[in-house]
Amino acid sequence: MEEMFCFQCEQAAGGTGCTKIGVCGKQPDVAALQDLIVFGLKGVAFWAHKAREKGAIDRDIDVHMIEALFTTVTNVDFDPASCAKVAQKTVQMRDKARALFEKANGGPFKGDVPAAAGDWKLPAGQAEMVALGRKHGVKAFHSDPDVNSVQNILLYGCKGMAAYADHAHILGKDDPKIYGFIHKALASMLDAKLGLMDFVGLCMECGKTNIDCMGLLNKAHIEKYQAPTPTPVSIGAKAGKAILVSGHDLKMLEELLKQTEGKGVNVYTHVEMLPAHGYPGLKKYKHLVGNFGSAWQNQHKEFADFPGAIIFNTNCIQRPGDQYKDRLFTWGRVQWPGVKHIDGWDFSEVIAAAQKAEGFKEMPAKNILTGCGHDAVLGLADKVIAAVKSGAIKRFFVIGGCDGAKPGRNYYTQFAEKLPKDTVILTLACGKYRFNKLDLGDIGGIPRLLDVGQCNDAYSAVQIALALAGAFNCGVNDLPLSIVLSWYEQKAVVVLLSLLSLDIKNMKLGPTLPAFVTPNVLNFLVENFNIGPIGSVEEDMKQMLGA
């Protein structure tokens, strides 16, 4: 019997699924508890969706939904005690959502109640919770493998969107329509009357809703920190005590910067936090001094060389090494057993750990460019359009997405290196670490490599593409634009759904195709969107360049 089954990330064992322990480090008990959380959330969604139809909304229920879904995203929460608490709260929210509906309805629901939304009780013991969770894994969603596949795509899309919604919520931005869709989507998985194409339609709706969600987060970032501007960022080090911040949450970084100001502690960004340097409201802090390390999967060897405190505020944590575990902290949804978790906004323990550590000696190094969001790029619109019309720019390439440890990702480095010098690369998310230290030069003052930002800044890439399509009076698919994506976890899934919802075609996806996509579902994507796996760099480039 399998101890677990999880295939939600690109590194699923054997390309099919992790059955003994997650390649990410997730233990079987955590996998089962997260399956139990998802089962419980479907019950919450059933009642919350029906209550919404009656005009009844509860913000606590909405927020728990996105926080709990975020908990189950790859490389977020590895702590079984934490997951058990989320499962307990989920059952409480199910009962609260049912009471909300019954009050709005003026009485009990008169139809059949699905098992997930019923009165099942959560066992008191963690071992019993794990046993219950194992009965509700991803294989049990639906007996039809294709429907099961599309339901998983929908679930993973909702998980990715929940992460973006959580970031926006932390900055005080909420959209009831986003919460409403997530309830609708999870509740739909309990409706036996829905078939394959119903779920395909919900996946497209998920993509469209996520564009709104990414737009909401973009608005939250800009209102709080102003629009990012092109900014050179040091990848060296300044002499002094140091804190490294890894993740996506800009408010957490801001609060840390406020609390470290004037204390002789320099702050460095890691992985997806790199784009923070482009925001005027953050780069005004002079002790935000640079970016340390490469992509997330290299943290185990790189963190041992970081002579200060390290804090994670979102996903991409790996099993900590003994060399740095005592100066590692987590915050927000991310947790690891035995690692100190910071609740709230007091980072004094992190600062104390940094002051106690050795700190850096001066290490001068080159700069890399970030902050090339849609406001910055569209500020050069006339220049860009003129360069396209003159032939100076022949084609744009969006090369972005998640990085990972699995072989095959050197494809993206080689692709960037071999592109002709009359092409421009838009990149985003941690996939850029495969090539963002390359010196690719410029075209008439326009950098050939434009770092659009974090994975949620796919919104910026979309806005740039739509603006170019408008300028040239054509559809996005008619632009001299090719999209080459790398994926790892669920935020990449929802970004892909967003692009598909815009009817963007001819995208390449790699390094491997998702294990949760059946042959029939893949065939649907190929027939309707001409999406395909990456192949050889030379052949793919030849095809995209029309050579």
Side-chain angles (χ1 to χ4, degrees):
M1 179 182 175
E2 295 171 341
E3 294 183 49
M4 60 180 281
F5 186 81
C6 181
F7 59 3
Q8 70 178 7
C9 88
E10 191 270 335
Q11 293 181 183
T16 56
C18 297
T19 58
K20 296 185 181 298
I21 185 174
V23 172
C24 65
K26 182 165 62 175
Q27 298 296 320
D29 58 347
V30 172
L33 288 168
Q34 292 185 356
D35 286 340
L36 182 59
I37 290 168
V38 170
F39 178 71
L41 289 174
K42 289 178 181 178
V44 175
F46 177 85
W47 295 114
H49 178 58
K50 290 197 173 299
R52 241 180 177 82
E53 291 179 328
K54 301 284 183 180
I57 294 173
D58 186 297
R59 182 50 51 86
D60 289 343
I61 294 170
D62 290 348
V63 172
H64 176 72
M65 176 64 73
I66 61 169
E67 289 180 342
L69 280 173
F70 197 176
T71 294
T72 68
V73 168
T74 304
N75 289 82
V76 176
D77 195 338
F78 292 83
D79 187 347
S82 168
C83 290
K85 288 179 183 177
V86 175
Q88 290 167 347
K89 187 172 181 181
T90 297
V91 173
Q92 293 169 5
M93 289 296 162
R94 177 205 65 194
D95 295 341
K96 188 175 186 180
R98 183 170 192 162
L100 181 70
F101 165 77
E102 289 179 349
K103 182 179 179 181
N105 190 51
F109 180 62
K110 301 204 183 300
D112 294 330
V113 177
D119 291 324
W120 60 274
K121 304 296 182 186
L122 192 69
Q126 191 170 294
E128 290 76 20
M129 287 187 205
V130 168
L132 180 59
R134 283 182 174 154
K135 297 178 180 179
H136 299 292
V138 294
K139 290 183 175 180
F141 283 8
H142 200 281
S143 58
D144 184 303
D146 294 327
V147 175
N148 190 291
S149 173
V150 182
Q151 282 194 2
N152 274 288
I153 294 171
L154 179 60
L155 172 64
Y156 300 151
C158 287
K159 287 187 180 190
M161 181 160 47
Y164 298 147
D166 186 57
H167 298 323
H169 171 73
I170 288 169
L171 284 166
K173 294 291 184 183
D174 297 274
D175 184 345
K177 292 179 182 177
I178 294 168
Y179 294 125
F181 172 76
I182 293 177
H183 294 315
K184 172 185 171 182
L186 266 65
S188 73
M189 299 179 197
L190 304 177
D191 189 343
K193 298 189 297 294
L194 299 182
L196 180 64
M197 294 312 296
D198 295 305
F199 290 108
V200 169
L202 282 164
C203 284
M204 293 300 101
E205 189 177 350
C206 181
K208 289 179 181 177
T209 306
N210 185 59
I211 292 172
D212 293 337
C213 189
M214 292 191 297
L216 182 71
L217 180 54
N218 177 75
K219 182 179 180 182
H221 284 160
I222 290 176
E223 286 185 2
K224 183 73 172 174
Y225 306 115
Q226 301 173 265
T229 58
T231 304
V233 182
S234 169
I235 55 174
K238 290 190 70 172
K241 305 296 184 178
I243 296 175
L244 183 64
V245 182
S246 184
H248 306 69
D249 199 284
L250 299 187
K251 182 170 174 59
M252 179 262 146
L253 174 65
E254 179 193 25
E255 293 301 318
L256 180 67
L257 288 168
K258 288 177 181 177
Q259 293 174 39
T260 48
E261 198 164 24
K263 293 186 178 177
V265 177
N266 291 320
V267 176
Y268 296 80
T269 56
H270 177 250
V271 190
E272 290 262 318
M273 196 56 75
L274 167 63
H277 292 270
Y279 290 90
L282 294 172
K283 66 181 179 181
K284 69 181 182 182
Y285 293 95
K286 301 304 180 186
H287 60 298
L288 179 62
V289 296
N291 189 75
F292 176 87
S294 53
W296 66 270
Q297 72 273 7
N298 300 320
Q299 65 190 257
H300 194 273
K301 58 184 178 182
E302 292 179 345
F303 284 5
D305 296 327
F306 187 82
I310 304 162
I311 183 165
F312 275 88
N313 67 33
T314 51
N315 58 313
C316 292
I317 192 171
Q318 290 182 305
R319 181 183 181 88
D322 292 337
Q323 314 97 308
Y324 58 87
K325 189 175 181 180
D326 63 339
R327 49 192 171 85
L328 180 67
F329 300 83
T330 59
W331 179 89
R333 307 317 306 165
V334 63
Q335 296 203 41
W336 191 282
V339 170
K340 175 67 179 178
H341 186 73
I342 304 296
D343 285 313
W345 300 95
D346 181 358
F347 298 109
S348 55
E349 287 186 76
V350 183
I351 297 168
Q355 291 171 329
K356 182 181 176 182
E358 180 182 353
F360 274 115
K361 295 179 180 178
E362 194 77 19
M363 294 193 325
K366 66 181 287 187
N367 292 333
I368 54 178
L369 188 68
T370 193
C372 304
H374 64 279
D375 290 286
V377 174
L378 295 180
L380 298 171
D382 291 344
K383 199 173 185 179
V384 171
I385 292 166
V388 173
K389 288 182 175 178
S390 71
I393 295 177
K394 288 287 197 308
R395 197 164 192 85
F396 296 90
F397 286 83
V398 176
I399 309 177
C402 311
D403 204 358
K406 204 168 172 181
R409 292 181 183 269
N410 58 337
Y411 168 97
Y412 299 94
T413 311
Q414 294 171 11
F415 200 99
E417 287 176 325
K418 293 181 178 181
L419 278 175
K421 296 188 183 302
D422 55 6
T423 59
V424 171
I425 299 171
L426 301 173
T427 190
L428 66 151
C430 61
K432 62 173 161 269
Y433 281 92
R434 288 284 163 173
F435 49 81
N436 70 338
K437 294 178 177 68
L438 298 175
D439 184 3
L440 299 180
D442 66 272
I443 299 173
I446 303 168
R448 285 194 58 228
L449 179 58
L450 298 169
D451 179 3
V452 175
Q454 298 180 338
C455 56
N456 52 276
D457 290 311
Y459 178 80
S460 274
V462 167
Q463 298 309 307
I464 292 168
L466 292 175
L468 287 173
F472 289 105
N473 195 28
C474 66
V476 172
N477 290 311
D478 300 315
L479 286 171
L481 171 71
S482 296
I483 299 177
V484 188
L485 300 176
S486 57
W487 83 282
Y488 172 68
E489 44 90 356
Q490 294 76 68
K491 285 179 281 185
V493 174
V494 78
V495 168
L496 178 61
L497 290 179
S498 294
L499 296 173
L500 294 177
S501 76
L502 293 170
D503 199 34
I504 293 176
K505 295 181 168 62
N506 306 315
M507 291 182 285
K508 293 287 186 182
L509 181 67
T512 59
L513 294 176
F516 48 81
V517 173
T518 61
N520 286 336
V521 173
L522 176 60
N523 188 54
F524 174 86
L525 293 172
V526 171
E527 287 183 352
N528 288 274
F529 300 100
N530 198 30
I531 191 170
I534 60 172
S536 74
V537 171
E538 291 76 12
E539 286 301 315
D540 287 350
M541 193 175 296
K542 182 178 178 181
Q543 180 186 19
M544 293 178 204
L545 291 169

